[in-house]
Amino acid sequence: MFIKNIWEEMGYFLKNKIFMAAVLLTAAGSYGFAVTHESIGVDDTLVKLYLDQGLEAYMGRWTIYLLNKLFRVDNFMPFVTELGGVLLLLAGVLLFCVLFKRIFGDGIGILGYAVFSCVFISYPFISEEWVYYYHNGVDLGYILLTLSLLLFMEGFVHTGKKRVKYLLGSMGLLCAAVGCYESFLIL
């Protein structure tokens, strides 16, 4: 039921043509810039060391390390890793919009959500990070953080064991979010 409600609330944003046009154009432009200004950094060359030999877990990125053990995300694939990153970022921004809509109701118009989403997707928040590189886990961290906050809010609607279930789920997702990137606590 929780996930179904989130999908329905995301539909509000997905069906709005102005919102989606702004967000998709920003994502395409930002991703296009990343693709046309490709550079190889130290993280690109050490992906195998980070994920295969466990350095990622020592750095505090244990969630990405465990994810790699399940799905093998450690292959260096230029353009594909950035595309994966932008898709995760799009999912994260939609979840943030759902969270804000639950908090503020109709106090923020669709233009406000669009501006927030475009700024979020263009990614000026963490300027020292490579924008759409999903191996560092920041994109996944945003998704987990937002789901954690949505579960936290849902926990206060219920009572008894259901409340405990939602709040424990929230804490688990928050721990996984912090384990996506060693500096994620700052965010």
Side-chain angles (χ1 to χ4, degrees):
M1 192 66 161
F2 173 74
I3 298 296
K4 183 181 176 189
N5 290 342
I6 290 175
W7 279 114
E8 288 173 4
E9 291 175 72
M10 286 173 81
Y12 169 79
F13 298 102
L14 293 171
K15 291 175 185 172
N16 189 298
K17 293 177 183 175
I18 294 170
F19 175 83
M20 287 307 297
V23 168
L24 291 176
L25 282 173
T26 302
S30 299
Y31 171 70
F33 180 84
V35 168
T36 58
H37 293 81
E38 185 70 31
S39 65
I40 296 176
V42 67
D43 285 340
D44 295 327
T45 58
L46 297 175
V47 168
K48 293 286 185 189
L49 177 67
Y50 286 160
L51 295 172
D52 280 346
Q53 297 179 16
L55 185 60
E56 196 89 302
Y58 286 114
M59 293 169 36
R61 301 176 191 172
W62 59 269
T63 303
I64 300 302
Y65 177 75
L66 291 177
L67 184 69
N68 182 57
K69 293 299 178 196
L70 294 173
F71 298 109
R72 300 299 303 180
V73 296
D74 63 346
N75 294 329
F76 176 63
M77 298 176 289
F79 312 118
V80 176
T81 56
E82 287 82 7
L83 180 61
V86 78
L87 292 175
L88 288 173
L89 206 55
L90 283 169
V93 79
L94 283 171
L95 286 171
F96 265 110
C97 287
V98 167
L99 176 68
F100 292 152
K101 187 152 176 60
R102 284 188 183 184
I103 293 171
F104 301 113
D106 292 328
I108 301 175
I110 198 68
L111 182 61
Y113 288 115
V115 168
F116 165 77
S117 300
C118 291
V119 170
F120 192 93
I121 289 171
S122 64
Y123 220 78
F125 296 127
I126 304 179
S127 59
E128 84 276 0
E129 276 303 314
W130 179 244
V131 180
Y132 302 113
Y133 184 66
Y134 69 71
H135 287 128
N136 65 19
V138 174
D139 300 339
L140 181 61
Y142 281 132
I143 292 171
L144 294 173
L145 171 68
T146 313
L147 287 173
S148 170
L149 293 172
L150 287 166
L151 274 175
F152 185 76
M153 288 178 64
E154 191 73 21
F156 286 103
V157 173
H158 300 284
T159 58
K161 289 183 179 183
K162 218 171 191 181
R163 173 180 278 182
V164 171
K165 181 179 98 174
Y166 280 111
L167 295 178
L168 286 175
S170 173
M171 289 189 319
L173 287 176
L174 185 60
C175 287
V178 171
C180 283
Y181 187 65
E182 68 271 9
S183 299
F184 203 67
L185 277 173
I186 296 167
L187 301 175

